[in-house]
Amino acid sequence: MSTDRRIVLFDLFGVIARHQRPGALAQMAARCNAPADAFAEAYWTCRPPYDAAQWSAPEYWTAVLRWLSRSADADTIEELRLADIHSWSRVDKRMVAYVRSLRNVAEVALLSNIPADHADAFLTAQPWLRNLDYTAFSGKIHAAKPNPAAFHHCAVAMQAAPADFLFVDDREENVRAAQATGMNGHVFTRLDELTAIIDTWLPPR
């Protein structure tokens, strides 16, 4: 049941922010003297509990290093943690401008799979995010997409019905998960396509 609100709920990476810097994983692998392919496997396989706040940053990096049979000393963990945060720090300036302008005609919120320490760093670097109507980071809400709990959290937090939302993500599995909770969904590919979708979805002004 809709309350006739219009809330555009954005993913972060791959939509507003850019994906991980090219070559970042290889550089982190070199830091701990590990093969790049093996490092990438450990990095991504161990990631879900970190994204969902089940592991702290030291617990995550300890798991990665142990996967690689490397020593998990504090200095290495901190260097990898900071390198990781830096690797996810880029934004798409055109998308940032569009998202900020959209607040003139709709409520705008964010739902991102991002560890808590990454979220804190991103908010510091991009303070405009604090001006959105709501921001939900998986590492803060203890639920990561495509878990339905992440979408339900946003609806409850904003006191809105799922049908009030248009969820925008570059990953089809996340959009399908949002739609399964009753939200509208759009798989992001290009800004011009998105603006056309949103213009159609918003009520006439």
Side-chain angles (χ1 to χ4, degrees):
M1 178 179 177
S2 173
T3 58
D4 295 324
R5 291 165 65 185
R6 291 293 186 271
I7 305 169
V8 185
L9 179 61
F10 284 97
D11 171 40
L12 183 56
F13 297 105
V15 180
I16 300 172
R18 300 193 184 278
H19 284 301
Q20 192 171 38
R21 293 177 187 272
L25 288 184
Q27 291 173 359
M28 285 184 266
R31 169 60 185 82
C32 52
N33 297 312
D37 289 349
F39 182 89
E41 181 183 13
Y43 178 95
W44 289 116
T45 302
C46 297
R47 198 73 173 188
Y50 184 30
D51 280 343
Q54 296 167 7
W55 284 352
S56 66
E59 287 172 325
Y60 167 70
W61 284 110
T62 295
V64 170
L65 289 164
R66 285 180 176 170
W67 181 297
L68 298 166
S69 300
R70 296 296 187 273
S71 173
D73 62 276
D75 288 345
T76 299
I77 287 174
E78 184 61 6
E79 286 183 34
L80 290 170
R81 189 185 75 86
L82 293 176
D84 191 30
I85 288 174
H86 178 67
S87 74
W88 292 101
S89 61
R90 301 177 303 158
V91 297
D92 182 329
K93 293 182 179 179
R94 290 180 64 222
M95 282 300 302
V96 169
Y98 175 68
V99 170
R100 297 179 73 176
S101 70
L102 192 59
R103 295 196 67 236
N104 295 323
V105 293
E107 295 176 74
V108 179
L110 181 78
L111 173 60
S112 174
N113 284 359
I114 180 174
D117 58 329
H118 284 237
D120 291 339
F122 213 95
L123 284 167
T124 298
Q126 303 292 333
W128 62 272
L129 285 168
R130 300 183 187 275
N131 296 324
L132 299 185
D133 294 286
Y134 188 68
T135 54
F137 301 106
S138 63
K140 302 284 191 179
I141 67 172
H142 297 260
K145 302 170 293 182
N147 188 331
F151 304 103
H152 288 306
H153 172 92
C154 293
V156 171
M158 297 191 73
Q159 299 182 357
D164 295 328
F165 290 85
L166 174 62
F167 176 64
V168 180
D169 196 298
D170 65 321
R171 299 188 63 174
E172 187 174 349
E173 66 175 306
N174 292 336
V175 172
R176 287 199 305 267
Q179 291 170 328
T181 70
M183 292 184 177
N184 303 282
H186 173 70
V187 179
F188 178 81
T189 54
R190 304 190 317 272
L191 176 56
D192 58 345
E193 182 178 75
L194 175 63
T195 58
I197 292 291
I198 290 179
D199 287 346
T200 301
W201 184 67
L202 292 174
R205 298 189 292 275

